[in-house]
Amino acid sequence: MSNDNTKLAATALVASGFGAALSYLMFQRQQDKNRPRSNSMTFHTPSDAPATIGNSRTSFIFQDPEYDINSGERNNSVSDNTTILMPHSHEERMRRRIAARMAVEDENSTPRQSVTVRVPASSANCGPGYDCIGLAVDLWTEVTVSRASEFEITAEGDGAEEMPKDDSNYIVTGVKAAYETANKPMPPLKYHVVSRIPYARGLGSSSAAIVAGIIAGLVLAGHRLPVWGSESLLQIAASIEGHPDNVAPVIYGGFQVGIHNGTRWVTERIPSPPGMQCVMFIPDFIGKTSAARAVLKDTISRADAAFNIGRVAFLIHALCLGNLDNLKWGVQDRMHQPQRAEGLYQHLFPMIKAAEESGACCAFLSGAGPTVMAFTSGASGDIFTQREKERTDYSVAKAMMEVAQTYGVKGRIVVTQASQEGARVVKVEPPFSSEFIKFRDNV
């Protein structure tokens, strides 16, 4: 028999075997579906644990019904463990892991005396993604919250003087929300803020404060929240802020796109192109979100809606493919930037034009303003050991500052990058680390 005939016979044999196996699998699946199904889920329960988990779930808030391991109304196709998992089925995989591992889990941990939380800045909208797209920016604020005999807020750094020092501070709002979620009384606390996020400049200082407060409050209260199928921390933060475009990247890092699915807020990460830098012109004056929203119309035309829908799709496509050349089309917008430029920030579009002509991939209004952000490319490794000619950040920064001077807007340029990491605990007393396990930074 020739080699070709041998290969043909082997291929036919493999194909027939695969077909038989597939037929058997489909037969078994059909048999399983025809069997009577109990309305309750059975778990293997340790001998020293309660037989049911009906009353043990204290922190599963905002849970999607199809991922609720206690729900008697689950979709059978989701709760059926014979369902083939696809690569993107992260939440279903986590649901099965939790269900198979234990029947009862104590969601609470030991209350802490003091905690320090590190939170990033963020830039919302990114042009057309109004209230739904944002990115974490590599500028950080640290918030320390400690049990005390009386209430106190102290602050240092960027915006420390303008920051509220009473319970209207969003950090306090976040802590209160955490204790309410834990269903525990909030004790007297003292707060110390080391701020490196410009206050009220369109870089998410309020969202950073909210998330820092929630995380600090949860740690102090000794309370944990579910993430998979719930994203409870995001729900609390977005319910305070009203939208997820800032709080999602503060929590998770990177570019995030968020929506409300009718039950809860849902967010997903968008890839961030390598070598991208953020060049920001930060004016000296404060931009109030209320004033920036007041200049917007309640309705938009169909043409403007179609324009923005296309730009959002183009933006996400460019980020996913790492096509930096297409970003300048993807950040175009008709919903908020033209109105805010006309009513509040006359320097906006001249600065965007100057930045792009000087080599920026794109530029846009950061959040509600007044900061203008440009993306540049070419960074690799430590930029201070890299030749400047390989990057465009310096020329873009110079062009943006020249426009600011032309329009009489005082401010400063800050060059940084997107942060792939979100908020995290950097210090806690007593620590989570022990002699058996050491967490990052020995937290």
Side-chain angles (χ1 to χ4, degrees):
M1 183 179 293
S2 67
N3 289 337
D4 290 342
N5 290 337
T6 302
K7 292 179 180 178
L8 183 62
T11 302
L13 182 62
V14 171
S16 62
F18 178 78
L22 183 60
S23 299
Y24 178 76
L25 175 63
M26 296 301 295
F27 175 77
Q28 289 295 105
R29 291 279 305 278
Q30 188 62 39
Q31 290 292 100
D32 290 340
K33 289 182 179 179
N34 292 335
R35 293 192 186 101
R37 187 182 299 277
S38 172
N39 290 328
S40 61
M41 182 177 287
T42 303
F43 299 92
H44 174 71
T45 307
S47 58
D48 59 343
T52 64
I53 62 173
N55 297 323
S56 67
R57 195 192 69 183
T58 59
S59 64
F60 270 60
I61 59 175
F62 310 109
Q63 184 82 356
D64 281 351
E66 63 265 34
Y67 296 115
D68 187 344
I69 63 174
N70 293 314
S71 173
E73 301 178 355
R74 290 181 302 277
N75 185 313
N76 285 340
S77 64
V78 174
S79 60
D80 185 357
N81 283 351
T82 64
T83 302
I84 297 175
L85 291 178
M86 302 303 291
H88 62 271
S89 303
H90 306 298
E91 295 189 341
E92 171 62 8
R93 187 176 290 107
M94 182 58 68
R95 185 195 68 79
R96 293 187 188 181
R97 185 184 303 171
I98 294 172
R101 186 168 53 203
M102 62 190 67
V104 178
E105 179 178 340
D106 182 6
E107 293 288 350
N108 298 328
S109 60
T110 303
R112 260 61 190 181
Q113 295 298 315
S114 177
V115 60
T116 300
V117 183
R118 191 169 180 254
V119 285
S122 57
S123 180
N125 303 329
C126 300
Y130 185 75
D131 279 2
C132 64
I133 295 179
L135 76 148
V137 179
D138 195 19
L139 297 173
W140 299 83
T141 286
E142 288 190 359
V143 177
T144 300
V145 186
S146 307
R147 297 176 185 270
S149 57
E150 60 182 10
F151 174 87
E152 181 186 22
I153 295 181
T154 57
E156 60 181 288
D158 208 327
E161 295 182 359
E162 300 112 316
M163 195 179 301
K165 304 300 191 301
D166 56 15
D167 61 3
S168 67
N169 190 304
Y170 274 125
I171 299 173
V172 181
T173 303
V175 172
K176 286 181 178 179
Y179 271 92
E180 289 173 2
T181 301
N183 196 26
K184 294 181 180 180
M186 179 175 165
L189 300 169
K190 65 177 181 180
Y191 307 77
H192 182 68
V193 183
V194 180
S195 177
R196 299 181 185 90
I197 301 174
Y199 179 75
R201 300 297 200 281
L203 289 169
S205 59
S206 61
S207 293
I210 290 169
V211 172
I214 296 171
I215 293 176
L218 291 171
V219 172
L220 290 175
H223 193 74
R224 296 177 184 265
L225 296 173
V227 176
W228 296 98
S230 177
E231 293 188 276
S232 296
L233 177 55
L234 175 68
Q235 311 310 315
I236 300 170
S239 67
I240 297 172
E241 183 79 338
H243 39 83
D245 52 349
N246 283 108
V247 294
V250 172
I251 294 171
Y252 300 119
F255 280 90
Q256 297 285 333
V257 57
I259 62 169
H260 197 280
N261 67 3
T263 302
R264 63 178 178 95
W265 293 103
V266 182
T267 187
E268 289 289 345
R269 181 183 289 261
I270 308 170
S272 178
M276 190 183 76
Q277 289 183 284
C278 303
V279 181
M280 299 173 287
F281 172 73
I282 305 173
D284 289 343
F285 63 88
I286 286 176
K288 294 184 177 180
T289 302
S290 57
R293 287 185 178 268
V295 301
L296 304 182
K297 300 177 181 179
D298 293 332
T299 59
I300 61 172
S301 68
R302 182 179 298 175
D304 287 347
F307 182 94
N308 266 53
I309 291 170
R311 265 44 182 200
V312 167
F314 216 69
L315 171 62
I316 293 179
H317 183 267
L319 290 171
C320 287
L321 295 185
N323 188 344
L324 297 177
D325 291 336
N326 279 348
L327 287 177
K328 67 177 180 179
W329 312 116
V331 299
Q332 291 178 341
D333 159 77
R334 289 184 183 174
M335 281 185 62
H336 70 102
Q337 291 188 143
Q339 296 87 333
R340 287 168 171 169
E342 180 181 358
L344 300 171
Y345 314 127
Q346 295 184 0
H347 64 282
L348 174 59
F349 285 115
M351 190 170 288
I352 289 175
K353 181 180 179 181
E356 291 179 350
E357 289 179 348
S358 299
C361 303
C362 66
F364 53 88
L365 183 67
S366 181
T371 294
V372 179
M373 178 173 290
F375 291 159
T376 63
S377 62
S380 182
D382 185 273
I383 63 171
F384 301 111
T385 60
Q386 182 184 14
R387 295 199 312 173
E388 286 186 5
K389 292 181 179 181
E390 297 179 351
R391 310 186 317 273
T392 58
D393 50 282
Y394 184 81
S395 60
V396 170
K398 183 179 179 182
M400 294 172 75
M401 184 59 76
E402 288 176 353
V403 171
Q405 293 171 350
T406 299
Y407 282 82
V409 181
K410 294 182 179 180
R412 66 190 189 276
I413 295 288
V414 174
V415 179
T416 183
Q417 59 189 357
S419 172
Q420 300 307 310
E421 183 178 44
R424 69 182 184 92
V425 174
V426 295
K427 187 178 180 180
V428 63
E429 291 294 338
F432 289 107
S433 295
S434 67
E435 59 179 311
F436 303 107
I437 182 171
K438 299 293 182 184
F439 293 101
R440 178 179 174 184
D441 297 331
N442 204 30
V443 171

